[in-house]
Amino acid sequence: MATKVEKEKYRKIAELGCSLCRHLQLGETPAELHHIRRGNIPRAQAPVIGLCTYHHRGSNTSIHGMGRKRFEREYAITEEKLLEQTEKLIE
Ligand SMILES: [Zn+2]
Ligand SMILES: [Zn+2]
């Protein structure tokens, strides 16, 4: 279960909208939370970014549809960079 502090953080991240749409200057798009997997870190403790349905779950347009490598090549930005930008915005 997420703690109160985590929930507040997730809410802020979701409110920022899609991190990739923001990066691509497509404006604020409602976002879902995407967990960034790093090795064996449990999902609940993985850092989170916002991605719209299109960039989160779209078959040929998203991180889960294309896989991380293709996604990062396609949009010329890494997941970690999107995380860095997100963390900056919610400080
Ligand atoms: Zn998006
Ligand atoms: Zn995801």
Side-chain angles (χ1 to χ4, degrees):
M1 273 303 280
T3 65
K4 237 182 180 169
V5 175
E6 283 165 343
K7 275 188 188 158
E8 178 63 15
K9 191 176 176 186
Y10 289 174
R11 192 185 56 76
K12 280 186 190 166
I13 291 170
E15 266 179 21
L16 288 173
C18 175
S19 55
L20 182 59
C21 284
R22 187 181 331 105
H23 173 71
L24 299 173
Q25 300 188 316
L26 298 173
E28 276 183 36
T29 315
E32 304 174 336
L33 295 176
H34 168 68
H35 290 80
I36 294 180
R37 304 308 301 268
R38 286 179 182 149
N40 294 327
I41 297 174
R43 188 175 187 273
Q45 281 160 37
V48 158
I49 58 173
L51 286 175
C52 64
T53 51
Y54 186 79
H55 289 135
H56 192 210
R57 293 183 276 147
S59 55
N60 265 308
T61 54
S62 76
I63 187 99
H64 292 297
M66 298 193 288
R68 187 173 54 83
K69 273 195 182 137
R70 240 183 90 204
F71 177 90
E72 291 182 341
R73 214 181 317 126
E74 178 78 18
Y75 297 113
I77 186 157
T78 64
E79 209 180 34
E80 292 290 334
K81 195 78 199 164
L82 291 172
L83 174 65
E84 206 179 291
Q85 293 175 354
T86 298
E87 300 270 336
K88 244 182 212 155
L89 286 166
I90 59 163
E91 261 169 15

